[in-house]
Amino acid sequence: AQSVTQLGSHVSVSEGALVLLRCNYSSSVPPYLFWYVQYPNQGLQLLLKYTSAATLVKGINGFEAEFKKSETSFHLTKPSAHMSDAAEYFCAVSSPAGKSTFGDGTTLTVKP
Amino acid sequence: GAGVSQTPSNKVTEKGKYVELRCDPISGHTALYWYRQSLGQGPEFLIYFQGTGAADDSGLPNDRFFAVRPEGSVSTLKIQRTERGDSAVYLCASSPTGTSSTDTQYFGPGTRLTVL
């Protein structure tokens, strides 16, 4: 069984501030973890994925995430928020067959 | 076609009617997934195809939901006797192999289904 919990359904930051979106997972097997971004009326776009090669994963648009097994976490960060980062973000854990279980999402608002 | 496409983009129907939602995956992708996203929630897995066969249909909520992929490319999600609770965005994704957890799933824009 696998599950994902995203802490905070809404996060608001000022432009230029640090972005931190939290994700905790539960998995009975070594997890494969993903972060997706969804802009209004668009499909999900992959930001980055953890596949056990390295615990710090760099993705697109300046985002990165660190896998911490001891904390069962995979938090998403970006040093400096941009207005274009405003969107909904989903953390997901994948089973061996690729079936993904998603969190409920975090809406990121960026204030000018 | 560079990405996954879904038609229609919007579908409004009346309670009790039958609907079909279509997904065109990326050419050559073996695996195809259907998810349902209700308002304020993350996508919820429905069914996964490996080629023409449904490898995992454990997410289909009941026997009103059915999906096919007869030639291993295009897939159709079919919903009989629609209910208001079926209203959601139905997402389709495809991936190259579907046999690796690290496969990247590419998502379509979704079909927004509204049942009146």
Side-chain angles (χ1 to χ4, degrees):
Chain A
Q2 54 190 28
S3 66
V4 168
T5 301
Q6 291 184 240
L7 301 174
S9 58
H10 291 84
V11 170
S12 180
V13 300
S14 297
E15 191 173 20
L18 171 72
V19 175
L20 170 61
L21 305 183
R22 300 177 188 273
C23 172
N24 288 87
Y25 70 90
S26 172
S27 177
S28 57
V29 298
Y32 296 98
L33 296 159
F34 303 79
W35 274 100
Y36 292 87
V37 61
Q38 187 175 36
Y39 297 100
N41 299 316
Q42 294 187 27
L44 292 160
Q45 179 183 5
L46 181 70
L47 275 177
L48 49 81
K49 62 182 180 182
Y50 166 73
T51 60
S52 77
T55 57
L56 183 62
V57 182
K58 293 188 184 298
I60 62 171
N61 302 339
F63 284 93
E64 63 182 35
E66 185 172 9
F67 172 71
K68 292 187 177 180
K69 184 178 179 180
S70 61
E71 299 177 9
T72 61
S73 69
F74 190 57
H75 301 333
L76 181 71
T77 61
K78 181 174 180 178
S80 177
H82 191 273
M83 297 297 290
S84 62
D85 295 326
E88 189 156 23
Y89 293 79
F90 292 94
C91 181
V93 60
S94 178
S95 74
K99 163 186 167 182
S100 293
T101 299
F102 288 81
D104 284 337
T106 297
T107 300
L108 175 66
T109 301
V110 182
K111 299 174 292 186
Chain B
V4 177
S5 62
Q6 293 185 245
T7 54
S9 56
N10 280 284
K11 176 70 177 179
V12 179
T13 191
E14 293 179 345
K15 179 176 178 294
K17 299 290 188 182
Y18 167 83
V19 297
E20 289 189 352
L21 311 179
R22 176 187 168 106
C23 172
D24 274 273
I26 292 173
S27 178
H29 279 193
T30 303
L32 185 146
Y33 305 81
W34 283 100
Y35 294 86
R36 177 169 70 175
Q37 186 174 17
S38 300
L39 195 62
Q41 298 182 15
E44 175 190 21
F45 171 79
L46 295 177
I47 185 169
Y48 150 57
F49 286 91
Q50 183 65 246
T52 60
D56 183 350
D57 64 357
S58 61
L60 294 178
N62 51 59
D63 61 6
R64 295 186 299 105
F65 289 75
F66 189 71
V68 295
R69 196 186 184 200
E71 297 178 357
S73 55
V74 171
S75 175
T76 304
L77 178 66
K78 308 180 181 192
I79 310 174
Q80 298 177 324
R81 304 183 305 279
T82 52
E83 299 177 356
R84 292 193 180 87
D86 299 334
S87 296
V89 176
Y90 289 81
L91 297 171
C92 176
S94 69
S95 69
T97 70
T99 56
S100 168
S101 300
T102 62
D103 245 15
T104 295
Q105 293 185 26
Y106 297 86
F107 282 81
T111 293
R112 182 176 298 278
L113 175 66
T114 303
V115 182
L116 301 177

